Amino acid sequence: MMLSLLLISASLALQSPPAATTDDLQARIQALEQENRKLREASEALQRRIRELEGGAPPAAPAPSAGSRDPGPEPWGNPNAAMRSLASKVKEDLKERGIAVPTPDADARTWHAYRQRLTKWIEIMGKFRQPIQWNLSVSEAVQVSSEPKEYEIRAHVLRADGSRVEPSFAFRCPATAVPNLVPAKAAGVWQLKAELLPHLVLQPESSSRERANPFGDTPTIAPQLECTLRYIVQSMTPVQAGSPSR
């Protein structure tokens, strides 16, 4: 409920008068993101306390350090790093073929060549699979289906020093990959082994699509190329306190 109110406030705040500058809007967005993060952390702490009172407290685990969005040096070490690597891959592909990344005022021929190559690149990337092994700070697990049994997990990737990579992300996990998971006791540190799959979509040529909420935009890794990350989970196992981070 608190998150919904925050998003409504964000939408109203962004309806600024025409005189507002881009810097003003960016500052407001950053302030709202910080407030959103604080509310999410408070909600996670409250959920942990409720589980403790219900007798479902997870095994003790070190509290993660404060997080940041820094993707770090590893090319596939977390979702932010993966998006950076995918953006680099598409730019390298375009450069190898002498195709320019168009600016908003580029001519029709430039846009056509660019979009034509992206269509082919998306087709090629349909077979792309990247193995990953991440340590996660799981905050929530919810059963979302029974046939087959499946959970939705929300977590932060942890760096080697225990700090979190912001923001948190969600993924689906078959019960067969984590047979001992009990949703009420899921909070804690887990090791995820999975394959990462990029889901790529080329936006319509028209750039005038209206969005109901700026926070609902799908991330792009190149002009008009949307990308979201999906995961095929192989296993997810709890990490004992004092175990190596990788």
Side-chain angles (χ1 to χ4, degrees), residues 132-142 151-156 169-183 185-195 231-239:
I132 58 171
Q133 182 173 308
W134 295 343
N135 273 19
L136 307 178
S137 174
V138 172
S139 56
E140 185 179 25
V142 179
Y151 303 109
E152 181 169 280
I153 312 291
R154 179 159 291 279
H156 290 82
F169 72 110
F171 60 95
R172 292 205 169 190
C173 176
T176 53
V178 57
N180 298 321
L181 183 139
V182 177
K185 301 180 181 180
V189 179
W190 297 73
Q191 184 178 83
L192 171 70
K193 292 184 180 180
E195 287 186 325
Y231 306 87
I232 298 177
V233 178
Q234 299 162 346
S235 67
M236 201 173 84
T237 54
V239 175

Side-chain angles (χ1 to χ4, degrees), residues 4-17 20 25 28-29 32 212-215:
S4 298
L5 290 173
L6 179 61
L7 291 177
I8 291 172
S9 299
S11 297
L12 292 173
L14 289 174
Q15 295 175 5
S16 54
L25 293 176
R28 294 181 190 179
I29 291 173
L32 289 168
N213 184 344
F215 292 95

Side-chain angles (χ1 to χ4, degrees), residues 3-244:
L3 182 56
S4 298
L5 290 173
L6 179 61
L7 291 177
I8 291 172
S9 299
S11 297
L12 292 173
L14 289 174
Q15 295 175 5
S16 54
T21 66
T22 300
D23 290 343
D24 292 336
L25 293 176
Q26 187 62 35
R28 294 181 190 179
I29 291 173
Q30 291 177 351
L32 289 168
E33 287 179 342
Q34 292 176 359
E35 185 64 22
N36 182 22
R37 184 166 60 252
K38 292 178 182 178
L39 290 171
R40 186 173 63 246
E41 291 173 351
S43 175
E44 292 171 0
L46 179 59
Q47 290 173 13
R48 287 194 296 270
R49 181 56 180 158
I50 290 172
R51 284 192 289 268
E52 291 172 1
L53 294 174
E54 292 175 345
S65 304
S68 75
R69 292 177 177 268
D70 180 11
E74 297 182 33
W76 304 98
N78 55 71
N80 297 352
M83 292 290 281
R84 178 185 62 190
S85 293
L86 290 165
S88 295
K89 286 177 73 69
V90 68
K91 289 176 183 176
E92 289 170 6
D93 180 87
L94 292 167
K95 184 177 180 180
E96 287 175 1
R97 286 157 179 78
I99 298 173
V101 176
T103 58
D105 58 350
D107 58 33
R109 179 178 296 180
T110 301
W111 275 107
H112 177 73
Y114 170 78
R115 289 178 60 86
Q116 190 174 44
R117 180 57 199 171
L118 284 190
T119 300
K120 180 63 176 177
W121 191 76
I122 291 172
E123 180 182 340
I124 294 170
M125 290 295 290
K127 299 178 181 179
F128 180 84
R129 301 287 187 275
Q130 175 62 43
I132 58 171
Q133 182 173 308
W134 295 343
N135 273 19
L136 307 178
S137 174
V138 172
S139 56
E140 185 179 25
V142 179
Q143 184 175 329
V144 291
S145 66
S146 55
E147 293 295 337
K149 190 174 182 181
E150 189 176 34
Y151 303 109
E152 181 169 280
I153 312 291
R154 179 159 291 279
H156 290 82
V157 174
L158 295 178
R159 299 185 182 87
D161 63 1
S163 63
R164 297 182 310 194
V165 178
E166 295 287 355
S168 64
F169 72 110
F171 60 95
R172 292 205 169 190
C173 176
T176 53
V178 57
N180 298 321
L181 183 139
V182 177
K185 301 180 181 180
V189 179
W190 297 73
Q191 184 178 83
L192 171 70
K193 292 184 180 180
E195 287 186 325
L196 180 151
L197 292 69
H199 178 65
L200 302 161
V201 176
L202 188 59
Q203 294 174 350
E205 289 193 57
S206 172
S207 60
S208 62
R209 296 184 308 161
E210 294 183 359
R211 300 279 190 170
N213 184 344
F215 292 95
D217 285 356
T218 302
T220 58
I221 56 173
Q224 299 185 353
L225 181 58
E226 295 182 347
C227 179
T228 54
L229 303 177
R230 297 178 178 177
Y231 306 87
I232 298 177
V233 178
Q234 299 162 346
S235 67
M236 201 173 84
T237 54
V239 175
Q240 299 300 320
S243 298

